[in-house]
């Protein structure tokens, strides 16, 4: 009536007796537009802030979640054949990271044991080879000092002595 625009919502309604009614509700369009404008402004300012907080929070969460993996990787990179007794940290988290760290430590223990077996075998083999080589060298030296030995034979024995010494 006074030239103000109205926003009207109309809805059909029927009661239990079958009578049909048309319900209409209205509000001045200016009030609705003011509320919508306020919401749009709030969203325009709040949305970038919410996204920034979500990105920052996600980054911090992921960094904290991946920190144990970084520690495991750093420790694993430091382990060499010289320090096989070092182990990766096992955090009691009850998840796959704990299982992974435990498995890596068990693998390192098996590797360490294998290296000890190889070293023991090498030491035993070297010890077992030294005794026969010492006997061969002694016999060759004795044969080399035999008087009246042919020059070709003396050269062959000398060559065999050099190889026995090298071994």
């Amino acid at each position: 009536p006074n030239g103000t625009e109205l926003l009207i919502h109309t809805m059909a309604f029927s009661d239990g007796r079958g009578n049909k009614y048309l319900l209409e509700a209205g509000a001045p369009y200016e009030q609705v537009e003011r509320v919508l404008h306020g919401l749009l402004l709030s969203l325009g300012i709040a949305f970038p802030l919410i996204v920034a907080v979500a990105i920052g929070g996600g980054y911090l969460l992921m960094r904290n979640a991946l920190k144990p993996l970084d520690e495991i990787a750093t420790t694993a990179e430091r382990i060499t054949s010289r320090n096989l007794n070092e182990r990766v940290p096992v955090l009691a988290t009850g998840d796959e990271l704990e299982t992974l760290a435990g498995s890596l430590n068990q693998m390192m223990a098996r590797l360490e044991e294998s290296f000890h077996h190889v070293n023991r075998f090498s030491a035993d083999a070297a010890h077992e080879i030294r005794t026969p080589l010492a006997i061969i060298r002694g016999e060759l030296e004795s044969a080399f000092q035999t008087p009246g030995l042919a020059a070709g034979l003396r050269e062959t024995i000398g060559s065999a002595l050099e190889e026995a010494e090298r071994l």
Side-chain angles (χ1 to χ4, degrees):
N2 58 1
T4 307
E5 284 188 57
L6 295 177
L7 182 63
I8 299 175
H9 180 72
T10 306
M11 184 172 106
F13 174 76
S14 57
D15 63 7
R17 295 184 194 151
N19 297 327
K20 295 185 179 187
Y21 301 97
L22 198 58
L23 297 177
E24 289 185 342
Y29 188 73
E30 181 182 309
Q31 285 180 344
V32 173
E33 193 174 61
R34 210 176 319 124
V35 169
L36 288 176
H37 187 274
L39 284 173
L40 185 64
L41 187 63
S42 297
L43 244 134
I45 293 171
F47 186 72
L49 290 174
I50 291 170
V51 169
V53 167
I55 289 172
Y59 173 77
L60 290 174
L61 284 173
M62 288 306 297
R63 192 176 74 184
N64 287 340
L66 294 177
K67 189 176 181 181
L69 278 177
D70 191 37
E71 289 176 13
I72 289 171
T74 302
T75 304
E77 287 173 0
R78 283 194 320 255
I79 297 174
T80 64
S81 62
R82 302 257 187 245
N83 63 344
L84 284 173
N85 59 343
E86 192 169 335
R87 298 293 184 259
V88 296
V90 178
L91 301 173
T93 56
D95 60 3
E96 290 82 9
L97 286 178
E98 182 179 0
T99 304
L100 174 67
S103 296
L104 283 173
N105 284 339
Q106 289 173 358
M107 179 189 69
M108 293 307 299
R110 290 191 305 270
L111 277 173
E112 184 179 14
E113 187 177 330
S114 296
F115 267 80
H116 286 303
H117 284 300
V118 167
N119 287 341
R120 260 187 261 126
F121 175 78
S122 298
D124 291 346
H127 178 72
E128 292 298 321
I129 291 173
R130 272 191 210 111
T131 303
L133 273 176
I135 292 170
I136 291 171
R137 196 174 70 220
E139 293 292 329
L140 286 171
E141 286 174 355
S142 175
F144 189 76
Q145 293 176 6
T146 304
L149 203 59
L153 189 53
R154 185 176 290 279
E155 189 176 316
T156 303
I157 292 173
S159 176
L161 267 170
E162 286 175 9
E163 291 301 317
E165 190 64 37
R166 186 182 64 79
L167 285 174

